[in-house]
Amino acid sequence: MNLLLPSRDERRRVRTAREEETRRRQKIAAASKTLTIRDLPSLVRLVVTSREIDPDAAMACLYQKYYYGGVVSGDFAGRIFDPALTDLSRLPMGVLDQKEELLPGKYVPDSKENLSDLALRMITSKRDRNLIDTIAEGWPGEGSGMSRFTAHINNLWQIRSDHRPLHRWLVTGHHRRVIQALRADLIASGDNTMTVETRARVISALECQTLLWCAHDVQMILARNAKATSAPLGDLLSSDKTVVEPAAVLRSAREMREALVHLLELDRAHRDAETDEGADNPLVRDSGLMRRLRLQVEREAGERGIDPRRAAGKVAVLMESIAKRLEGANDAFLQQLVAPRGTHSGQKSFHPMWFSGLSPLAASSVAILRYQQAEAQVEALIQEVLPVRGNRPLVRQAMALPAFDRRDMPKGWQRRSRDLLQAWRITVLDDKDLHSRARDGDAREEMTGKQPINAALAFLDRAGDRQIGDDHGDQYNVCRTFYLLDVLPEHRLTCG
């Protein structure tokens, strides 16, 4: 019995129809997901319960709560290097900005197994062996990436046995102290002159540790990029969306602004009204937001024994402060809120707004290309601050990696850049298009890394040299963007 099989064209039509149906369902599912901005009652609580009427301080507290997740600066390093953390992107957005944090002394490993685990986590908190093998393939040494990684751990542990202070400085990122010991040609734990073998061992360990810390920089950057896709404003947004687009935030913010404007109008109109009017109060009847505020004020005042009239006065001051901020004459985002609907340009993510037009993949590629540059130039970078035959070489004014130059990169760097992007992307970035089966040319180049890496190269050409101090620049300045996306070997080499 002969079976009639569908033709190739028919199979293609069926496959296309299924894909279109899948896209339609995904679009419907995405439209049903919610996004809202928090949290005016929290702001009221902060003002009502404070001794002084200080709306600016209250707003700063709210920012600390949501952007930093309530984590204070003294706890940043502890959270970043917590051995129990299995996904760096779970950290609050503000903590992921802190690339300059060094390893706390309490986390210095006490065994070779724990030392290896720390190094694994610095590359990927998920301890993915395939990624580690790909990363360490570019380290000094011989053999596979994992062989080089293991050799470095063995070397570090041997240094611990012989010269514990040197080991501690290498592991915690205080590399300037290692440089000082090498410069003086003395063992850190005494006045004994280093042997040639010891000096070579320490320099080899310093080169690998410099690259390990640069890999940690890349993981921090990619974890932040991953979190910024789904939670660009940290916990200030309540959302179940996979990707939060600026337009969606703008819509929610516009709704909040309209509610606030209405609230302010009601508040001013009834400022002198009696406080005990129950449900007949037009403030309660006309505004659900005002109802929440009133209940919040009354509850906080009752629990803390505060005179409701005094609390109402504090809320009035807060309302006036918010009113002034809503004018936003010099604030680009607030101006978008009052602009006619439909005038937003419609960026697909916040990355182009934050990072000089770069997509999440292109922004990640900048970090990866600079990591590759560190692989190629780590020896020269260290020699800039070490004596050469007793004489220090001329040191560049800025200690950061020099401008990216394709001519200085080793053979095969383009292929390795794509391999690194794919490896880090699978383990850390985990973006929504990771497993896309794109068919057209541009989409394929995006998926294989060619397009984002080309965009990153164009950015690096435009950025040139990164200067020390660029981290204090304007938020949307190219120099500031470069700092946020760059590896920071100079920070460890100058940190004592």
Side-chain angles (χ1 to χ4, degrees):
M1 177 176 165
N2 294 326
L3 296 176
L4 293 176
L5 298 176
S7 67
R8 181 177 300 176
D9 288 343
E10 180 62 24
R11 291 198 301 271
R12 185 183 297 114
R13 281 194 293 271
V14 170
R15 186 171 60 246
T16 301
R18 286 175 179 169
E19 290 173 350
E20 289 177 352
E21 176 63 18
T22 299
R23 284 194 293 270
R24 186 185 69 82
R25 289 176 179 175
Q26 289 174 343
K27 188 173 182 180
I28 292 172
S32 67
K33 293 184 177 181
T34 60
L35 180 149
T36 56
I37 296 177
R38 318 174 201 237
D39 180 4
L40 197 55
S42 292
L43 192 59
V44 172
R45 183 187 309 117
L46 287 167
V47 173
V48 168
T49 57
S50 65
R51 291 183 178 274
E52 301 295 332
I53 301 172
D54 190 350
D56 288 337
M59 290 182 184
C61 288
L62 199 65
Y63 179 75
Q64 169 73 20
K65 173 185 175 182
Y66 286 121
Y67 190 69
Y68 290 94
V71 181
V72 297
S73 59
D75 294 336
F76 287 160
R79 294 291 298 273
I80 292 168
F81 294 101
D82 183 353
L85 183 66
T86 58
D87 185 352
L88 215 61
S89 65
R90 293 178 183 173
L91 292 174
M93 187 76 76
V95 177
L96 289 171
D97 285 340
Q98 314 304 316
K99 290 187 294 179
E100 295 187 6
E101 293 292 333
L102 301 180
L103 182 74
K106 67 179 180 179
Y107 288 145
V108 174
D110 56 2
S111 69
K112 187 160 75 170
E113 291 72 22
N114 289 340
L115 179 63
S116 177
D117 186 66
L118 169 65
L120 293 173
R121 288 187 286 109
M122 288 180 69
I123 298 173
T124 162
S125 56
K126 297 177 182 177
R127 300 166 174 84
D128 184 275
R129 298 267 170 171
N130 291 328
L131 174 60
I132 285 133
D133 188 50
T134 303
I135 301 306
E137 189 180 286
W139 291 8
E142 298 179 353
S144 67
M146 193 54 72
S147 296
R148 299 180 192 211
F149 177 87
T150 301
H152 171 56
I153 298 301
N154 291 337
N155 187 26
L156 266 183
W157 194 248
Q158 183 61 49
I159 292 173
R160 182 185 186 274
S161 299
D162 298 340
H163 317 293
R164 189 163 294 194
L166 280 173
H167 167 84
R168 187 180 183 88
W169 297 335
L170 284 163
V171 171
T172 57
H174 291 87
H175 295 169
R176 185 174 74 90
R177 297 183 185 181
V178 181
I179 292 291
Q180 288 173 333
L182 289 167
R183 197 181 288 163
D185 211 23
L186 295 173
I187 293 173
S189 56
D191 294 329
N192 299 324
T193 302
M194 285 188 184
T195 65
V196 173
E197 179 184 1
T198 298
R199 185 178 182 83
R201 183 186 295 278
V202 172
I203 290 176
S204 174
L206 180 58
E207 289 179 357
C208 288
Q209 277 298 106
T210 297
L211 293 177
L212 178 63
W213 276 92
C214 287
H216 173 69
D217 292 336
V218 176
Q219 185 185 191
M220 290 279 286
I221 293 164
L222 265 66
R224 190 192 190 285
N225 286 347
K227 193 175 186 73
T229 302
S230 59
L233 303 182
D235 290 338
L236 186 60
L237 286 177
S238 172
S239 172
D240 56 1
K241 291 177 176 289
T242 304
V243 177
V244 174
E245 298 183 2
V249 176
L250 190 64
R251 283 194 299 271
S252 183
R254 273 180 168 154
E255 292 171 1
M256 177 63 81
R257 184 186 187 280
E258 289 168 2
L260 282 173
V261 168
H262 180 55
L263 172 63
L264 289 166
E265 291 172 351
L266 291 171
D267 181 58
R268 287 168 179 155
H270 300 280
R271 185 75 55 81
D272 297 327
E274 292 291 326
T275 59
D276 187 17
E277 294 183 6
D280 291 333
N281 189 325
L283 294 181
V284 176
R285 186 179 65 247
D286 293 344
S287 171
L289 186 61
M290 189 62 197
R291 185 183 305 112
R292 295 207 316 270
L293 275 177
R294 179 188 173 105
L295 292 174
Q296 184 75 59
V297 171
E298 290 175 347
R299 182 167 58 251
E300 295 295 336
E303 289 178 357
R304 289 167 172 76
I306 298 172
D307 182 349
R309 294 182 181 179
R310 182 185 173 195
K314 287 190 173 188
V315 174
V317 173
L318 174 63
M319 293 296 101
E320 290 305 319
S321 176
I322 292 175
K324 291 179 181 178
R325 287 173 180 262
L326 285 178
E327 294 173 1
N330 298 319
D331 189 299
F333 184 73
L334 287 176
Q335 289 305 304
Q336 282 281 345
L337 297 186
V338 298
R341 294 178 183 274
T343 59
H344 183 61
S345 59
Q347 294 282 6
K348 294 299 182 183
S349 77
F350 278 83
H351 283 80
M353 300 167 63
W354 291 343
F355 297 129
S356 303
L358 296 172
S359 70
L361 277 179
S364 301
S365 299
V366 171
I368 286 167
L369 287 169
R370 290 290 274 181
Y371 172 80
Q372 275 188 274
Q373 186 180 353
E375 286 184 337
Q377 298 176 356
V378 62
E379 182 179 0
L381 191 66
I382 289 172
Q383 288 301 326
E384 285 186 350
V385 290
L386 272 178
V388 178
R389 292 192 177 90
N391 297 315
R392 289 190 65 194
L394 291 175
V395 179
R396 288 178 296 117
Q397 191 171 21
M399 283 285 299
L401 284 170
F404 188 91
D405 191 331
R406 295 165 176 79
R407 296 170 297 183
D408 295 332
M409 297 299 287
K411 184 178 179 181
W413 68 270
Q414 296 98 328
R415 176 197 58 78
R416 178 158 168 75
S417 67
R418 292 193 292 272
D419 290 345
L420 286 170
L421 177 58
Q422 184 67 5
W424 250 310
R425 186 182 180 190
I426 291 170
T427 308
V428 181
L429 194 58
D430 194 23
D431 57 288
K432 71 179 183 66
D433 295 323
L434 177 60
H435 303 294
S436 172
R437 297 181 178 179
R439 290 183 174 82
D440 61 275
D442 288 344
R444 277 199 304 272
E445 289 190 354
E446 178 77 6
M447 292 306 103
T448 59
K450 185 174 181 180
Q451 192 174 75
I453 286 170
N454 285 341
L457 287 168
F459 171 83
L460 289 170
D461 288 342
R462 188 166 76 253
D465 277 305
R466 179 173 68 78
Q467 301 296 317
I468 305 302
D470 284 346
D471 54 312
H472 301 300
D474 180 82
Q475 181 180 357
Y476 302 107
N477 186 279
V478 170
C479 296
R480 168 74 171 165
T481 297
F482 196 5
Y483 168 80
L484 292 173
L485 299 178
D486 203 6
V487 296
L488 307 177
E490 77 282 354
H491 175 62
R492 275 78 67 173
L493 287 170
T494 59
C495 188

